Amino acid sequence: MSGYEFFTSGASRQADESAWKYHLRKLFTTKSLESFEMEKDTSGLKRTLSAFDLIMIGLGSIIGTGILIITGQAAATKAGPAVVISFIISGIAASFAALCYSELSSMIPVAGSAYTYVYATLGELAAWIIGWSLILEYAVGASTIAVGWSGYFVNFFDHFGIKLSPSWTSAPLVFDHSTGYLLRIPGAYINLPAFLLILFLTIILILGIKESATVNNIAVTLKVFVILLLFFVGITKINPKNYDPFIPQNEGSFSEFGITGILSASSVVFFAYIGFDSISTTAQEAKNPQRDLPIGIIVSLIICTILYVAVCVVLTGVVHYPELNNPAPVTVAINAMGMSWLGVIVDFGALAGLLSGILVFLMGQTRIFYAMAKDGLFFPTIASKIHPKYKTPHISTAVTGVICAIISSLLPIGVLAELTSVGTLSAFLLVNIGVLVLRITAPNAPRKFKVPGGPYLIPIIGALLDLLLLFTATTASLIRLLVWMLIGLVIYFLYGRSHSVANNSNQYMKNKELNG
């Protein structure tokens, strides 16, 4: 056994090995590709998803968060009409990560997404960190979209003269950028539509993956139709004066307009590109994961990037960018067009479209829990239990749904979106590095898809772009991510490390008994 193989093998302590070296080595234990091959057919999850279903899952998650929610926030507060450039920059960074995800998903076709890929390349500690980051990404991501959905829900009823009380349809807390604290909003109690929607979708997810995919496919079809309608109608209503200035002058801080504002907006709108990540969480429910996962990832990303840029051009051309600072910016643009009939159709499509995004995020969240629990790192009695009838991880789905419902009912959309983006960038950074590591440590392993341009070019560029966008994130978001990571490390060292299957030979049988 070579030095590297021994260092990452999780082998027992050697006679001449000091305690600190042994415990340090355990942090870098990796899972072998052979172990993933053994896992993929013994999960208990039902394989029902086709390539089309995977593409639609990607579209369900990607389309919506960017076009229907984040576009307005990023344009109004960070980039102005140049938010188009922000989406292009983020799209390029996402495309590099997507290619790396595609290669790894064809090699490691099991649930867990970036967590699983990092476990196979960078070791257990890095895998735990990224898994913990993904838990944040999906939980906060679902909550963010639910807040946006609530905004469109209120606007939809406005078309019919029904006014819903803001006391029960908006977050009771707001983030004060000057003080860095959350402040209480007088008269606001809970965002009830967001809360109830997440609970409803949680029930759908418990009932089965195919049922969830069917709901998602219907919602995505409606969403794409409405977005195309918005684009072709809106392009005739563009006022070129709204593009002036295309890049607003910087207002004194790094993230407020100017060139740095464009970069800062890129780190926020990157949130909109994490749909292909959720595709890879369903690997053990895909009929032919090694072929279909790369197809789903690449095709969905291409479609979404084109739609993002097109709709950004329309929104910032129809409305002057400061007016887009609204949870439902598309509705703001339609009101400016004076087409009430289009507003009804688009708001209905937005409700359906955002619903699919929440569904996919909740689905991805529970599959991350499932993968970590199977490895012994995260409370297997809760997270890896499969329902005997529905073949879904029902306990973790229910717990996740309740937590996300509470978050969405209390917090504002801006805080949630920024927090999700930095978690996403962390995951993509390590996936790019993971491809490099496997090309060196397992050069002859079967790969049904390979990153083009050789083993180093795209992963290195992708990693550098992710680092650039991370550095442009707001300080408050990075601090929140750091606090979340510290909490995760405490859990790992108190629980995960001593229960790890890879690092504790007797833990495998215990987990097997718990999982039935």
mmCIF file with all atom_site columns, all heavy atoms in Angstrom, residues 300-324:
data_model
loop_
_atom_site.group_PDB
_atom_site.id
_atom_site.type_symbol
_atom_site.label_atom_id
_atom_site.label_alt_id
_atom_site.label_comp_id
_atom_site.label_asym_id
_atom_site.label_entity_id
_atom_site.label_seq_id
_atom_site.pdbx_PDB_ins_code
_atom_site.Cartn_x
_atom_site.Cartn_y
_atom_site.Cartn_z
_atom_site.occupancy
_atom_site.B_iso_or_equiv
_atom_site.pdbx_formal_charge
_atom_site.auth_seq_id
_atom_site.auth_comp_id
_atom_site.auth_asym_id
_atom_site.auth_atom_id
_atom_site.pdbx_PDB_model_num
ATOM 1   N N   . SER A 1 300 ? -29.976 21.117 -18.677 1.00 0.00 ? 300 SER A N   1
ATOM 2   C CA  . SER A 1 300 ? -30.765 22.063 -17.871 1.00 0.00 ? 300 SER A CA  1
ATOM 3   C C   . SER A 1 300 ? -30.015 23.373 -17.664 1.00 0.00 ? 300 SER A C   1
ATOM 4   O O   . SER A 1 300 ? -30.619 24.457 -17.696 1.00 0.00 ? 300 SER A O   1
ATOM 5   C CB  . SER A 1 300 ? -31.136 21.437 -16.519 1.00 0.00 ? 300 SER A CB  1
ATOM 6   O OG  . SER A 1 300 ? -29.984 21.133 -15.754 1.00 0.00 ? 300 SER A OG  1
ATOM 7   N N   . LEU A 1 301 ? -28.707 23.314 -17.476 1.00 0.00 ? 301 LEU A N   1
ATOM 8   C CA  . LEU A 1 301 ? -27.926 24.538 -17.264 1.00 0.00 ? 301 LEU A CA  1
ATOM 9   C C   . LEU A 1 301 ? -27.915 25.411 -18.520 1.00 0.00 ? 301 LEU A C   1
ATOM 10  O O   . LEU A 1 301 ? -28.065 26.642 -18.442 1.00 0.00 ? 301 LEU A O   1
ATOM 11  C CB  . LEU A 1 301 ? -26.495 24.197 -16.853 1.00 0.00 ? 301 LEU A CB  1
ATOM 12  C CG  . LEU A 1 301 ? -25.606 25.400 -16.550 1.00 0.00 ? 301 LEU A CG  1
ATOM 13  C CD1 . LEU A 1 301 ? -26.114 26.162 -15.343 1.00 0.00 ? 301 LEU A CD1 1
ATOM 14  C CD2 . LEU A 1 301 ? -24.162 24.977 -16.335 1.00 0.00 ? 301 LEU A CD2 1
ATOM 15  N N   . ILE A 1 302 ? -27.751 24.793 -19.693 1.00 0.00 ? 302 ILE A N   1
ATOM 16  C CA  . ILE A 1 302 ? -27.734 25.556 -20.952 1.00 0.00 ? 302 ILE A CA  1
ATOM 17  C C   . ILE A 1 302 ? -29.064 26.275 -21.159 1.00 0.00 ? 302 ILE A C   1
ATOM 18  O O   . ILE A 1 302 ? -29.118 27.479 -21.464 1.00 0.00 ? 302 ILE A O   1
ATOM 19  C CB  . ILE A 1 302 ? -27.432 24.626 -22.142 1.00 0.00 ? 302 ILE A CB  1
ATOM 20  C CG1 . ILE A 1 302 ? -25.979 24.130 -22.076 1.00 0.00 ? 302 ILE A CG1 1
ATOM 21  C CG2 . ILE A 1 302 ? -27.688 25.349 -23.466 1.00 0.00 ? 302 ILE A CG2 1
ATOM 22  C CD1 . ILE A 1 302 ? -25.644 23.067 -23.103 1.00 0.00 ? 302 ILE A CD1 1
ATOM 23  N N   . ILE A 1 303 ? -30.169 25.558 -20.994 1.00 0.00 ? 303 ILE A N   1
ATOM 24  C CA  . ILE A 1 303 ? -31.493 26.151 -21.199 1.00 0.00 ? 303 ILE A CA  1
ATOM 25  C C   . ILE A 1 303 ? -31.711 27.327 -20.251 1.00 0.00 ? 303 ILE A C   1
ATOM 26  O O   . ILE A 1 303 ? -32.177 28.404 -20.646 1.00 0.00 ? 303 ILE A O   1
ATOM 27  C CB  . ILE A 1 303 ? -32.598 25.089 -21.002 1.00 0.00 ? 303 ILE A CB  1
ATOM 28  C CG1 . ILE A 1 303 ? -32.524 24.027 -22.106 1.00 0.00 ? 303 ILE A CG1 1
ATOM 29  C CG2 . ILE A 1 303 ? -33.980 25.735 -20.998 1.00 0.00 ? 303 ILE A CG2 1
ATOM 30  C CD1 . ILE A 1 303 ? -33.454 22.851 -21.904 1.00 0.00 ? 303 ILE A CD1 1
ATOM 31  N N   . CYS A 1 304 ? -31.352 27.126 -19.000 1.00 0.00 ? 304 CYS A N   1
ATOM 32  C CA  . CYS A 1 304 ? -31.621 28.145 -17.991 1.00 0.00 ? 304 CYS A CA  1
ATOM 33  C C   . CYS A 1 304 ? -30.782 29.399 -18.187 1.00 0.00 ? 304 CYS A C   1
ATOM 34  O O   . CYS A 1 304 ? -31.274 30.515 -17.996 1.00 0.00 ? 304 CYS A O   1
ATOM 35  C CB  . CYS A 1 304 ? -31.371 27.572 -16.592 1.00 0.00 ? 304 CYS A CB  1
ATOM 36  S SG  . CYS A 1 304 ? -32.570 26.317 -16.136 1.00 0.00 ? 304 CYS A SG  1
ATOM 37  N N   . THR A 1 305 ? -29.528 29.251 -18.564 1.00 0.00 ? 305 THR A N   1
ATOM 38  C CA  . THR A 1 305 ? -28.677 30.416 -18.764 1.00 0.00 ? 305 THR A CA  1
ATOM 39  C C   . THR A 1 305 ? -29.218 31.303 -19.879 1.00 0.00 ? 305 THR A C   1
ATOM 40  O O   . THR A 1 305 ? -29.261 32.535 -19.761 1.00 0.00 ? 305 THR A O   1
ATOM 41  C CB  . THR A 1 305 ? -27.234 29.983 -19.090 1.00 0.00 ? 305 THR A CB  1
ATOM 42  O OG1 . THR A 1 305 ? -26.733 29.177 -18.023 1.00 0.00 ? 305 THR A OG1 1
ATOM 43  C CG2 . THR A 1 305 ? -26.329 31.189 -19.268 1.00 0.00 ? 305 THR A CG2 1
ATOM 44  N N   . ILE A 1 306 ? -29.674 30.691 -20.964 1.00 0.00 ? 306 ILE A N   1
ATOM 45  C CA  . ILE A 1 306 ? -30.255 31.456 -22.074 1.00 0.00 ? 306 ILE A CA  1
ATOM 46  C C   . ILE A 1 306 ? -31.490 32.220 -21.607 1.00 0.00 ? 306 ILE A C   1
ATOM 47  O O   . ILE A 1 306 ? -31.656 33.416 -21.897 1.00 0.00 ? 306 ILE A O   1
ATOM 48  C CB  . ILE A 1 306 ? -30.611 30.508 -23.244 1.00 0.00 ? 306 ILE A CB  1
ATOM 49  C CG1 . ILE A 1 306 ? -29.337 29.909 -23.846 1.00 0.00 ? 306 ILE A CG1 1
ATOM 50  C CG2 . ILE A 1 306 ? -31.415 31.253 -24.310 1.00 0.00 ? 306 ILE A CG2 1
ATOM 51  C CD1 . ILE A 1 306 ? -29.587 28.809 -24.858 1.00 0.00 ? 306 ILE A CD1 1
ATOM 52  N N   . LEU A 1 307 ? -32.352 31.554 -20.872 1.00 0.00 ? 307 LEU A N   1
ATOM 53  C CA  . LEU A 1 307 ? -33.571 32.202 -20.396 1.00 0.00 ? 307 LEU A CA  1
ATOM 54  C C   . LEU A 1 307 ? -33.267 33.316 -19.403 1.00 0.00 ? 307 LEU A C   1
ATOM 55  O O   . LEU A 1 307 ? -33.918 34.366 -19.407 1.00 0.00 ? 307 LEU A O   1
ATOM 56  C CB  . LEU A 1 307 ? -34.499 31.162 -19.755 1.00 0.00 ? 307 LEU A CB  1
ATOM 57  C CG  . LEU A 1 307 ? -35.141 30.160 -20.712 1.00 0.00 ? 307 LEU A CG  1
ATOM 58  C CD1 . LEU A 1 307 ? -35.950 29.124 -19.935 1.00 0.00 ? 307 LEU A CD1 1
ATOM 59  C CD2 . LEU A 1 307 ? -36.049 30.874 -21.718 1.00 0.00 ? 307 LEU A CD2 1
ATOM 60  N N   . TYR A 1 308 ? -32.283 33.107 -18.542 1.00 0.00 ? 308 TYR A N   1
ATOM 61  C CA  . TYR A 1 308 ? -31.908 34.135 -17.565 1.00 0.00 ? 308 TYR A CA  1
ATOM 62  C C   . TYR A 1 308 ? -31.507 35.439 -18.238 1.00 0.00 ? 308 TYR A C   1
ATOM 63  O O   . TYR A 1 308 ? -31.998 36.514 -17.906 1.00 0.00 ? 308 TYR A O   1
ATOM 64  C CB  . TYR A 1 308 ? -30.728 33.643 -16.706 1.00 0.00 ? 308 TYR A CB  1
ATOM 65  C CG  . TYR A 1 308 ? -31.110 32.775 -15.548 1.00 0.00 ? 308 TYR A CG  1
ATOM 66  C CD1 . TYR A 1 308 ? -30.155 32.003 -14.916 1.00 0.00 ? 308 TYR A CD1 1
ATOM 67  C CD2 . TYR A 1 308 ? -32.413 32.728 -15.079 1.00 0.00 ? 308 TYR A CD2 1
ATOM 68  C CE1 . TYR A 1 308 ? -30.484 31.196 -13.843 1.00 0.00 ? 308 TYR A CE1 1
ATOM 69  C CE2 . TYR A 1 308 ? -32.750 31.931 -14.005 1.00 0.00 ? 308 TYR A CE2 1
ATOM 70  C CZ  . TYR A 1 308 ? -31.790 31.162 -13.388 1.00 0.00 ? 308 TYR A CZ  1
ATOM 71  O OH  . TYR A 1 308 ? -32.112 30.380 -12.328 1.00 0.00 ? 308 TYR A OH  1
ATOM 72  N N   . VAL A 1 309 ? -30.594 35.336 -19.188 1.00 0.00 ? 309 VAL A N   1
ATOM 73  C CA  . VAL A 1 309 ? -30.082 36.532 -19.857 1.00 0.00 ? 309 VAL A CA  1
ATOM 74  C C   . VAL A 1 309 ? -31.211 37.240 -20.605 1.00 0.00 ? 309 VAL A C   1
ATOM 75  O O   . VAL A 1 309 ? -31.343 38.482 -20.554 1.00 0.00 ? 309 VAL A O   1
ATOM 76  C CB  . VAL A 1 309 ? -28.937 36.156 -20.814 1.00 0.00 ? 309 VAL A CB  1
ATOM 77  C CG1 . VAL A 1 309 ? -28.532 37.355 -21.660 1.00 0.00 ? 309 VAL A CG1 1
ATOM 78  C CG2 . VAL A 1 309 ? -27.734 35.640 -20.021 1.00 0.00 ? 309 VAL A CG2 1
ATOM 79  N N   . ALA A 1 310 ? -32.058 36.472 -21.276 1.00 0.00 ? 310 ALA A N   1
ATOM 80  C CA  . ALA A 1 310 ? -33.154 37.065 -22.043 1.00 0.00 ? 310 ALA A CA  1
ATOM 81  C C   . ALA A 1 310 ? -34.116 37.837 -21.149 1.00 0.00 ? 310 ALA A C   1
ATOM 82  O O   . ALA A 1 310 ? -34.510 38.980 -21.460 1.00 0.00 ? 310 ALA A O   1
ATOM 83  C CB  . ALA A 1 310 ? -33.903 35.969 -22.803 1.00 0.00 ? 310 ALA A CB  1
ATOM 84  N N   . VAL A 1 311 ? -34.487 37.245 -20.020 1.00 0.00 ? 311 VAL A N   1
ATOM 85  C CA  . VAL A 1 311 ? -35.465 37.897 -19.145 1.00 0.00 ? 311 VAL A CA  1
ATOM 86  C C   . VAL A 1 311 ? -34.846 39.082 -18.405 1.00 0.00 ? 311 VAL A C   1
ATOM 87  O O   . VAL A 1 311 ? -35.513 40.083 -18.147 1.00 0.00 ? 311 VAL A O   1
ATOM 88  C CB  . VAL A 1 311 ? -36.071 36.873 -18.165 1.00 0.00 ? 311 VAL A CB  1
ATOM 89  C CG1 . VAL A 1 311 ? -36.981 37.554 -17.153 1.00 0.00 ? 311 VAL A CG1 1
ATOM 90  C CG2 . VAL A 1 311 ? -36.866 35.836 -18.945 1.00 0.00 ? 311 VAL A CG2 1
ATOM 91  N N   . CYS A 1 312 ? -33.557 39.008 -18.067 1.00 0.00 ? 312 CYS A N   1
ATOM 92  C CA  . CYS A 1 312 ? -32.876 40.162 -17.455 1.00 0.00 ? 312 CYS A CA  1
ATOM 93  C C   . CYS A 1 312 ? -32.942 41.379 -18.370 1.00 0.00 ? 312 CYS A C   1
ATOM 94  O O   . CYS A 1 312 ? -33.181 42.506 -17.924 1.00 0.00 ? 312 CYS A O   1
ATOM 95  C CB  . CYS A 1 312 ? -31.420 39.823 -17.162 1.00 0.00 ? 312 CYS A CB  1
ATOM 96  S SG  . CYS A 1 312 ? -31.159 38.891 -15.664 1.00 0.00 ? 312 CYS A SG  1
ATOM 97  N N   . VAL A 1 313 ? -32.721 41.158 -19.649 1.00 0.00 ? 313 VAL A N   1
ATOM 98  C CA  . VAL A 1 313 ? -32.775 42.245 -20.630 1.00 0.00 ? 313 VAL A CA  1
ATOM 99  C C   . VAL A 1 313 ? -34.165 42.878 -20.636 1.00 0.00 ? 313 VAL A C   1
ATOM 100 O O   . VAL A 1 313 ? -34.316 44.105 -20.669 1.00 0.00 ? 313 VAL A O   1
ATOM 101 C CB  . VAL A 1 313 ? -32.408 41.709 -22.034 1.00 0.00 ? 313 VAL A CB  1
ATOM 102 C CG1 . VAL A 1 313 ? -32.708 42.763 -23.104 1.00 0.00 ? 313 VAL A CG1 1
ATOM 103 C CG2 . VAL A 1 313 ? -30.946 41.303 -22.082 1.00 0.00 ? 313 VAL A CG2 1
ATOM 104 N N   . VAL A 1 314 ? -35.205 42.047 -20.572 1.00 0.00 ? 314 VAL A N   1
ATOM 105 C CA  . VAL A 1 314 ? -36.574 42.559 -20.599 1.00 0.00 ? 314 VAL A CA  1
ATOM 106 C C   . VAL A 1 314 ? -36.911 43.319 -19.317 1.00 0.00 ? 314 VAL A C   1
ATOM 107 O O   . VAL A 1 314 ? -37.415 44.449 -19.354 1.00 0.00 ? 314 VAL A O   1
ATOM 108 C CB  . VAL A 1 314 ? -37.583 41.404 -20.816 1.00 0.00 ? 314 VAL A CB  1
ATOM 109 C CG1 . VAL A 1 314 ? -39.004 41.888 -20.560 1.00 0.00 ? 314 VAL A CG1 1
ATOM 110 C CG2 . VAL A 1 314 ? -37.464 40.868 -22.230 1.00 0.00 ? 314 VAL A CG2 1
ATOM 111 N N   . LEU A 1 315 ? -36.627 42.741 -18.157 1.00 0.00 ? 315 LEU A N   1
ATOM 112 C CA  . LEU A 1 315 ? -37.013 43.366 -16.889 1.00 0.00 ? 315 LEU A CA  1
ATOM 113 C C   . LEU A 1 315 ? -36.348 44.733 -16.701 1.00 0.00 ? 315 LEU A C   1
ATOM 114 O O   . LEU A 1 315 ? -37.001 45.709 -16.325 1.00 0.00 ? 315 LEU A O   1
ATOM 115 C CB  . LEU A 1 315 ? -36.658 42.455 -15.711 1.00 0.00 ? 315 LEU A CB  1
ATOM 116 C CG  . LEU A 1 315 ? -37.451 41.166 -15.558 1.00 0.00 ? 315 LEU A CG  1
ATOM 117 C CD1 . LEU A 1 315 ? -37.047 40.440 -14.281 1.00 0.00 ? 315 LEU A CD1 1
ATOM 118 C CD2 . LEU A 1 315 ? -38.945 41.439 -15.539 1.00 0.00 ? 315 LEU A CD2 1
ATOM 119 N N   . THR A 1 316 ? -35.041 44.794 -16.942 1.00 0.00 ? 316 THR A N   1
ATOM 120 C CA  . THR A 1 316 ? -34.335 46.071 -16.736 1.00 0.00 ? 316 THR A CA  1
ATOM 121 C C   . THR A 1 316 ? -34.597 47.057 -17.864 1.00 0.00 ? 316 THR A C   1
ATOM 122 O O   . THR A 1 316 ? -34.300 48.242 -17.725 1.00 0.00 ? 316 THR A O   1
ATOM 123 C CB  . THR A 1 316 ? -32.817 45.833 -16.595 1.00 0.00 ? 316 THR A CB  1
ATOM 124 O OG1 . THR A 1 316 ? -32.328 45.109 -17.737 1.00 0.00 ? 316 THR A OG1 1
ATOM 125 C CG2 . THR A 1 316 ? -32.515 45.042 -15.329 1.00 0.00 ? 316 THR A CG2 1
ATOM 126 N N   . GLY A 1 317 ? -35.157 46.576 -18.976 1.00 0.00 ? 317 GLY A N   1
ATOM 127 C CA  . GLY A 1 317 ? -35.520 47.470 -20.071 1.00 0.00 ? 317 GLY A CA  1
ATOM 128 C C   . GLY A 1 317 ? -36.913 48.037 -19.921 1.00 0.00 ? 317 GLY A C   1
ATOM 129 O O   . GLY A 1 317 ? -37.202 49.157 -20.354 1.00 0.00 ? 317 GLY A O   1
ATOM 130 N N   . VAL A 1 318 ? -37.801 47.294 -19.286 1.00 0.00 ? 318 VAL A N   1
ATOM 131 C CA  . VAL A 1 318 ? -39.184 47.736 -19.102 1.00 0.00 ? 318 VAL A CA  1
ATOM 132 C C   . VAL A 1 318 ? -39.313 48.657 -17.900 1.00 0.00 ? 318 VAL A C   1
ATOM 133 O O   . VAL A 1 318 ? -40.104 49.608 -17.897 1.00 0.00 ? 318 VAL A O   1
ATOM 134 C CB  . VAL A 1 318 ? -40.112 46.507 -18.948 1.00 0.00 ? 318 VAL A CB  1
ATOM 135 C CG1 . VAL A 1 318 ? -41.505 46.927 -18.495 1.00 0.00 ? 318 VAL A CG1 1
ATOM 136 C CG2 . VAL A 1 318 ? -40.195 45.742 -20.260 1.00 0.00 ? 318 VAL A CG2 1
ATOM 137 N N   . VAL A 1 319 ? -38.531 48.401 -16.830 1.00 0.00 ? 319 VAL A N   1
ATOM 138 C CA  . VAL A 1 319 ? -38.630 49.148 -15.578 1.00 0.00 ? 319 VAL A CA  1
ATOM 139 C C   . VAL A 1 319 ? -37.248 49.692 -15.217 1.00 0.00 ? 319 VAL A C   1
ATOM 140 O O   . VAL A 1 319 ? -36.234 49.026 -15.429 1.00 0.00 ? 319 VAL A O   1
ATOM 141 C CB  . VAL A 1 319 ? -39.137 48.227 -14.440 1.00 0.00 ? 319 VAL A CB  1
ATOM 142 C CG1 . VAL A 1 319 ? -39.201 48.983 -13.121 1.00 0.00 ? 319 VAL A CG1 1
ATOM 143 C CG2 . VAL A 1 319 ? -40.501 47.665 -14.784 1.00 0.00 ? 319 VAL A CG2 1
ATOM 144 N N   . HIS A 1 320 ? -37.202 50.914 -14.663 1.00 0.00 ? 320 HIS A N   1
ATOM 145 C CA  . HIS A 1 320 ? -35.943 51.444 -14.166 1.00 0.00 ? 320 HIS A CA  1
ATOM 146 C C   . HIS A 1 320 ? -35.511 50.603 -12.971 1.00 0.00 ? 320 HIS A C   1
ATOM 147 O O   . HIS A 1 320 ? -36.313 50.323 -12.071 1.00 0.00 ? 320 HIS A O   1
ATOM 148 C CB  . HIS A 1 320 ? -36.086 52.910 -13.776 1.00 0.00 ? 320 HIS A CB  1
ATOM 149 C CG  . HIS A 1 320 ? -34.789 53.610 -13.631 1.00 0.00 ? 320 HIS A CG  1
ATOM 150 N ND1 . HIS A 1 320 ? -34.536 54.527 -12.626 1.00 0.00 ? 320 HIS A ND1 1
ATOM 151 C CD2 . HIS A 1 320 ? -33.638 53.529 -14.360 1.00 0.00 ? 320 HIS A CD2 1
ATOM 152 C CE1 . HIS A 1 320 ? -33.300 54.979 -12.739 1.00 0.00 ? 320 HIS A CE1 1
ATOM 153 N NE2 . HIS A 1 320 ? -32.737 54.392 -13.789 1.00 0.00 ? 320 HIS A NE2 1
ATOM 154 N N   . TYR A 1 321 ? -34.254 50.201 -12.932 1.00 0.00 ? 321 TYR A N   1
ATOM 155 C CA  . TYR A 1 321 ? -33.803 49.153 -12.010 1.00 0.00 ? 321 TYR A CA  1
ATOM 156 C C   . TYR A 1 321 ? -34.139 49.360 -10.522 1.00 0.00 ? 321 TYR A C   1
ATOM 157 O O   . TYR A 1 321 ? -34.409 48.379 -9.828  1.00 0.00 ? 321 TYR A O   1
ATOM 158 C CB  . TYR A 1 321 ? -32.296 48.918 -12.189 1.00 0.00 ? 321 TYR A CB  1
ATOM 159 C CG  . TYR A 1 321 ? -31.409 50.058 -11.761 1.00 0.00 ? 321 TYR A CG  1
ATOM 160 C CD1 . TYR A 1 321 ? -30.949 50.164 -10.456 1.00 0.00 ? 321 TYR A CD1 1
ATOM 161 C CD2 . TYR A 1 321 ? -31.006 51.039 -12.671 1.00 0.00 ? 321 TYR A CD2 1
ATOM 162 C CE1 . TYR A 1 321 ? -30.127 51.219 -10.064 1.00 0.00 ? 321 TYR A CE1 1
ATOM 163 C CE2 . TYR A 1 321 ? -30.196 52.090 -12.285 1.00 0.00 ? 321 TYR A CE2 1
ATOM 164 C CZ  . TYR A 1 321 ? -29.756 52.166 -10.990 1.00 0.00 ? 321 TYR A CZ  1
ATOM 165 O OH  . TYR A 1 321 ? -28.955 53.199 -10.597 1.00 0.00 ? 321 TYR A OH  1
ATOM 166 N N   . PRO A 1 322 ? -34.160 50.602 -9.952  1.00 0.00 ? 322 PRO A N   1
ATOM 167 C CA  . PRO A 1 322 ? -34.482 50.710 -8.516  1.00 0.00 ? 322 PRO A CA  1
ATOM 168 C C   . PRO A 1 322 ? -35.878 50.184 -8.174  1.00 0.00 ? 322 PRO A C   1
ATOM 169 O O   . PRO A 1 322 ? -36.121 49.747 -7.041  1.00 0.00 ? 322 PRO A O   1
ATOM 170 C CB  . PRO A 1 322 ? -34.385 52.220 -8.240  1.00 0.00 ? 322 PRO A CB  1
ATOM 171 C CG  . PRO A 1 322 ? -33.485 52.752 -9.304  1.00 0.00 ? 322 PRO A CG  1
ATOM 172 C CD  . PRO A 1 322 ? -33.810 51.924 -10.507 1.00 0.00 ? 322 PRO A CD  1
ATOM 173 N N   . GLU A 1 323 ? -36.791 50.208 -9.139  1.00 0.00 ? 323 GLU A N   1
ATOM 174 C CA  . GLU A 1 323 ? -38.158 49.770 -8.894  1.00 0.00 ? 323 GLU A CA  1
ATOM 175 C C   . GLU A 1 323 ? -38.271 48.252 -8.773  1.00 0.00 ? 323 GLU A C   1
ATOM 176 O O   . GLU A 1 323 ? -39.319 47.734 -8.361  1.00 0.00 ? 323 GLU A O   1
ATOM 177 C CB  . GLU A 1 323 ? -39.073 50.261 -10.013 1.00 0.00 ? 323 GLU A CB  1
ATOM 178 C CG  . GLU A 1 323 ? -39.124 51.775 -10.147 1.00 0.00 ? 323 GLU A CG  1
ATOM 179 C CD  . GLU A 1 323 ? -39.938 52.209 -11.348 1.00 0.00 ? 323 GLU A CD  1
ATOM 180 O OE1 . GLU A 1 323 ? -40.988 51.581 -11.610 1.00 0.00 ? 323 GLU A OE1 1
ATOM 181 O OE2 . GLU A 1 323 ? -39.532 53.175 -12.031 1.00 0.00 ? 323 GLU A OE2 1
ATOM 182 N N   . LEU A 1 324 ? -37.216 47.519 -9.117  1.00 0.00 ? 324 LEU A N   1
ATOM 183 C CA  . LEU A 1 324 ? -37.262 46.056 -9.087  1.00 0.00 ? 324 LEU A CA  1
ATOM 184 C C   . LEU A 1 324 ? -36.940 45.483 -7.712  1.00 0.00 ? 324 LEU A C   1
ATOM 185 O O   . LEU A 1 324 ? -36.922 44.262 -7.543  1.00 0.00 ? 324 LEU A O   1
ATOM 186 C CB  . LEU A 1 324 ? -36.284 45.477 -10.118 1.00 0.00 ? 324 LEU A CB  1
ATOM 187 C CG  . LEU A 1 324 ? -36.628 45.744 -11.582 1.00 0.00 ? 324 LEU A CG  1
ATOM 188 C CD1 . LEU A 1 324 ? -35.485 45.289 -12.490 1.00 0.00 ? 324 LEU A CD1 1
ATOM 189 C CD2 . LEU A 1 324 ? -37.922 45.044 -11.974 1.00 0.00 ? 324 LEU A CD2 1
#
